[in-house]
Amino acid sequence: MGVLTTRRSSGPATPPAPGRHAKPDDLTWRAKLRRDWPLLVMNLPMLLVVVGFWWVPALGNVIAFQDYNPYTGGIVESPIIGFTNFALLFQDPQFIRAIANTLSITAFQLVFYFPVPILLALLLNSIVSARLRAFVQGVVYMPFFFSWVLVVAIFQQMFGGAGLLAQILRENGHEGVDWMTNSDTFILLITSQTIWKDAGWGAIIFLAALSTIDPNLYEAAAVDGARRWRRMWHITLPGLRPVIVLLLILRLGDALNVGFEQFMLQRSAVGSEASEVFDTFVYWSGIRTGDLGYGAAAGLFKGLVGLLLIVAANRVAHAFGERGVYSRS
Amino acid sequence: MTALTTGRRRRPSHLAPWEERPSPVGRFGKGTLIVVILVVVLGPLYTIVLTSLSSSATVTRAGGLVLVPDGITLEAYRQIFSDTVVSRAILVSTGVTVVGTLISAGVSVLGAYSLSRPGSFLHRPLLFSVLLMFVFFPGIIPVYLMVSGLGLKDSYWSLILPTAVSAFNVVVLRSFFMNIPGEILDSARIDGAGEFRILFRIVLPMSKAVTAVVAMFYAVGYWNAWFNAMLYMDDTRRWPLALILRQYVVDSNPLPAATAGVTGDAPPTLAIKMAIVVIAVIPALVMYPLVQRHFTKGVIVGAVKG
């Protein structure tokens, strides 16, 4: 997933693209500006959005170090209290719970969600009829485009107290179930929601990797007497390994993000015990209870640890010879 | 998985000469698995659509969601569109989606093109400022304060501007633009074309597919967005559909500012709830086939693989 590679901008290794602005670095900045001002004009709208909704808020995180009060002091006059907010965070059992829940959900989904797109890709890849395969692909990609509100609404209609499952159970003389408010099974619920919504889409990258495996390998293996499962084990899985390793590393780098709206939407139904994660904690402690500096401290903590994890994950990816999310160029 | 019964001796044409014939058990297992997957995805949608098209008598008889069709009626939809709250929300969502997508796609195409030329003036810092968005999120609260500080609370712009630029989409567009052979652009430049003309006359027409996919991602994002509206929209008359869906369908709460109509004091009927769900799904279902062929063409995967 080298989406961030800055290929042509890469350093001395790559010579400047032939024909495109010969000797770009010999020009003075004035000459460059004279030549490139239309590009700056084009960049301006994006720059405004990025500055307004990324840079300024990113710097606005100073309120995490303040006893911030929007009415009496604002960001300029609120007293600086150093790391007090952060110290308080680690004495807050709810924050510890948010960390524990986030990490256990990540670990759980690594085991029970992560393999699903791989298996699905193997299944799709083994469908011989092109039309049937296109149809099944079309169906399983679709829920990716549904919103979380919709997915929650659909799951509620299926597994909620008044849902289809409870309805069928009651008709057959059993007791109804309500999985939407059960905090014990919450982790199963959100994992099945994630599988339903995202697994199909997640299979795309593995399908792409499968299509790059040289078919001659299969033939040679078959000639040598390898049956179906041995070919899968010795050719298909090694062919997928680089992608699997890369996505695994990236998922670990993103370990603090377990989904956002999914938890916001269901926190009140199952209670905060099971469903509190970083993002819900930031929202409830900061915006709901009005302690904005405290919430911002939690958000900043998450952002910075997340940053470290991503950088570390990319180091590991590079060490494995992969490109990672960004390459150093 | 062709169900065609080939003769025992004849080898199915799709099998390579060295490939063994699939075992009946294997074929049965695979077929069952595929059917189960299709039912898991399509089953809920089927019963939801069917319930939304059923009369309240049918829903009562079924005791909830309708599985077997028993008379089709558009009554629920008629009620929704005669009700000011829900139909206004549909209008709000549509407006935000259309305006937001135009702005986002426009800003991203311009921005991506401006970043597609290494060595240009301020190229690296400008690129860096976009790439930083990948690795660090400033946090919910500072963004919230920024939006409130700009006086955008309860304004439709609060649903558009904070999410107007997705770094991912910009990078996808940029890597596509960079793969356009430089000779083409240079020849245009020699002929005296400016950057804007090059972008709109040469680069964009060559990038229709990727631009369509990016625009669709933005559109789906705007249509689906719930959290920003929850955060910034206190005025229920300005609620988009996602908030109605949460409040009214998931939580079964009557809408606070409800005027007379279906969303008044009476608890919502199941058929109306399901009709709202269907309306919320429709745009995704309509846009999806339009761009789906580009997925298979490899626009996304190609872009993702860099």
Side-chain angles (χ1 to χ4, degrees):
Chain A
M1 289 240 279
V3 288
L4 292 194
T5 46
T6 49
R7 263 166 306 156
R8 292 204 188 162
S9 66
S10 49
T14 354
R20 249 188 215 202
H21 304 306
K23 301 186 218 158
D25 294 311
D26 291 353
L27 294 170
T28 63
W29 69 268
R30 276 169 187 282
K32 272 192 180 184
L33 179 59
R34 206 162 30 241
R35 186 192 66 194
D36 293 331
W37 68 265
L39 294 179
L40 293 183
V41 174
M42 290 179 179
N43 195 274
L44 191 64
M46 185 167 76
L47 190 66
L48 285 176
V49 174
V50 172
V51 167
F53 296 99
W54 196 92
W55 279 104
V56 175
L59 299 175
N61 271 313
V62 291
I63 66 169
F65 303 95
Q66 287 181 326
D67 183 13
Y68 179 74
N69 187 321
Y71 303 108
T72 60
I75 198 164
V76 184
E77 286 173 30
S78 289
I80 303 278
I81 54 170
F83 287 89
T84 313
N85 280 328
F86 294 89
L88 287 174
L89 273 179
F90 287 96
Q91 293 160 15
D92 186 339
Q94 194 66 13
F95 183 69
I96 305 296
R97 181 174 295 151
I99 296 181
N101 281 344
T102 306
L103 293 180
S104 57
I105 289 166
T106 296
F108 189 86
Q109 297 199 340
L110 221 42
V111 177
F112 292 99
Y113 170 76
F114 189 80
V116 178
I118 303 173
L119 298 175
L120 193 61
L122 290 175
L123 178 69
L124 288 170
N125 199 50
S126 75
I127 299 178
V128 181
S129 153
R131 289 177 68 183
L132 180 67
R133 177 153 93 165
F135 174 72
V136 178
Q137 274 177 308
V139 169
V140 296
Y141 293 168
M142 191 174 56
F144 177 75
F145 297 93
F146 295 173
S147 66
W148 274 113
V149 194
L150 259 175
V151 174
V152 171
I154 290 170
F155 266 73
Q156 190 197 36
Q157 293 307 320
M158 296 300 125
F159 303 118
L164 192 64
L165 182 66
Q167 178 187 326
I168 291 171
L169 284 175
R170 270 195 293 267
E171 270 167 23
N172 294 307
H174 299 282
E175 235 172 272
V177 290
D178 186 357
W179 287 345
M180 300 302 286
T181 56
N182 187 339
S183 59
D184 296 331
T185 54
F186 181 66
I187 200 164
L188 292 173
L189 176 75
I190 52 157
T191 306
S192 33
Q193 286 168 345
T194 309
I195 290 175
W196 193 80
K197 186 180 188 311
D198 291 340
W201 186 255
I204 288 184
I205 189 130
F206 297 108
L207 279 172
L210 284 172
S211 70
T212 61
I213 297 176
D214 184 355
N216 290 331
L217 291 176
Y218 288 104
E219 182 169 357
V223 170
D224 286 347
R227 309 279 299 171
R228 199 170 285 280
W229 291 104
R230 291 195 70 97
R231 294 201 300 268
M232 162 97 83
W233 185 254
H234 290 292
I235 300 171
T236 311
L237 288 181
L240 285 180
R241 194 173 53 205
V243 187
I244 295 176
V245 168
L246 178 63
L247 289 188
L248 201 58
I249 293 168
L250 294 183
R251 181 69 196 96
L252 288 174
D254 206 28
L256 301 188
N257 282 316
V258 288
F260 181 58
E261 293 197 345
Q262 192 184 8
F263 291 88
M264 290 282 178
L265 281 161
Q266 299 182 93
R267 185 181 183 274
S268 54
V270 292
S272 65
E273 187 110 352
S275 70
E276 191 85 294
V277 291
F278 270 108
D279 296 313
T280 55
F281 179 85
V282 171
Y283 173 71
W284 253 272
S285 68
I287 293 175
R288 271 296 178 86
T289 57
D291 196 346
L292 291 163
Y294 188 60
L300 184 60
F301 175 77
K302 184 203 167 202
L304 292 178
V305 175
L307 179 65
L308 284 180
L309 285 176
I310 293 179
V311 172
N314 272 280
R315 283 274 165 83
V316 178
H318 292 161
F320 273 82
E322 298 289 343
R323 290 169 78 185
V325 196
Y326 57 83
S327 58
R328 210 146 1 139
S329 69
Chain B
M1 272 286 100
T2 37
L4 297 172
T5 47
T6 41
R8 245 198 169 296
R9 297 266 155 176
R10 251 195 20 248
R11 160 164 290 283
S13 56
H14 54 70
L15 285 184
W18 45 267
E19 210 168 347
E20 55 283 74
R21 190 185 294 274
S23 73
V25 178
R27 287 182 54 156
F28 178 78
K30 202 158 84 177
T32 317
L33 197 56
I34 290 169
V35 170
V36 167
I37 290 172
L38 291 179
V39 168
V40 163
V41 177
L42 295 178
L45 302 180
Y46 161 79
T47 167
I48 284 168
V49 171
L50 191 59
T51 308
S52 78
L53 292 170
S54 298
S55 67
S56 47
T58 314
V59 176
T60 315
R61 213 172 315 129
L65 289 169
V66 182
L67 290 172
V68 188
D70 178 20
I72 298 294
T73 164
L74 287 173
E75 184 54 32
Y77 293 91
R78 205 171 298 128
Q79 286 190 347
I80 284 177
F81 285 108
S82 68
D83 175 72
T84 49
V85 177
V86 181
S87 44
R88 194 202 300 261
I90 295 169
L91 214 60
V92 168
S93 278
T94 312
V96 167
T97 303
V98 170
V99 176
T101 305
L102 288 176
I103 291 178
S104 288
V107 169
S108 303
V109 164
L110 287 171
Y113 182 74
S114 78
L115 294 178
S116 70
R117 296 263 294 285
S120 62
F121 186 69
L122 286 182
H123 173 78
R124 290 207 138 217
L126 289 174
L127 180 64
F128 188 65
S129 80
V130 172
L131 297 190
L132 269 182
M133 296 170 83
F134 268 102
V135 291
F136 183 76
F137 174 63
I140 300 167
I141 290 177
V143 176
Y144 173 83
L145 291 176
M146 184 70 198
V147 172
S148 329
L150 290 173
L152 293 180
K153 276 202 83 178
D154 273 328
S155 154
Y156 296 128
W157 291 111
S158 69
L159 307 181
I160 294 177
L161 293 180
T163 51
V165 170
S166 140
F168 180 81
N169 286 340
V170 172
V171 169
V172 166
L173 284 170
R174 172 179 179 268
S175 70
F176 201 90
F177 292 164
M178 287 179 70
N179 282 332
I180 293 176
E183 292 77 12
I184 299 179
L185 308 185
D186 280 334
S187 66
R189 215 161 280 134
I190 290 166
D191 289 344
E195 294 297 343
F196 282 91
R197 187 182 286 253
I198 292 174
L199 173 58
F200 289 109
R201 291 290 168 81
I202 299 173
V203 172
L204 265 189
M206 291 176 79
S207 322
K208 274 185 199 150
V210 69
T211 312
V213 170
V214 163
M216 187 214 61
F217 273 112
Y218 276 126
V220 168
Y222 281 117
W223 181 266
N224 285 346
W226 166 77
F227 182 69
N228 272 356
M230 193 268 274
L231 210 49
Y232 302 128
M233 293 308 220
D234 295 333
D235 183 353
T236 50
R237 284 169 309 172
R238 293 172 159 249
W239 274 10
L241 196 58
L243 279 182
I244 302 280
L245 204 61
R246 166 68 195 280
Q247 180 88 2
Y248 186 61
V249 178
V250 178
D251 289 354
S252 287
N253 292 331
L255 296 170
T259 48
V262 277
T263 51
D265 300 325
T269 73
L270 193 59
I272 289 175
K273 280 184 173 183
M274 293 307 101
I276 297 178
V277 171
V278 172
I279 290 170
V281 174
I282 283 175
L285 294 191
V286 172
M287 277 185 286
Y288 176 59
L290 295 180
V291 284
Q292 198 213 345
R293 57 200 172 97
H294 299 312
F295 304 155
T296 41
K297 269 189 189 168
V299 167
I300 292 298
V301 170
V304 166
K305 286 170 86 184

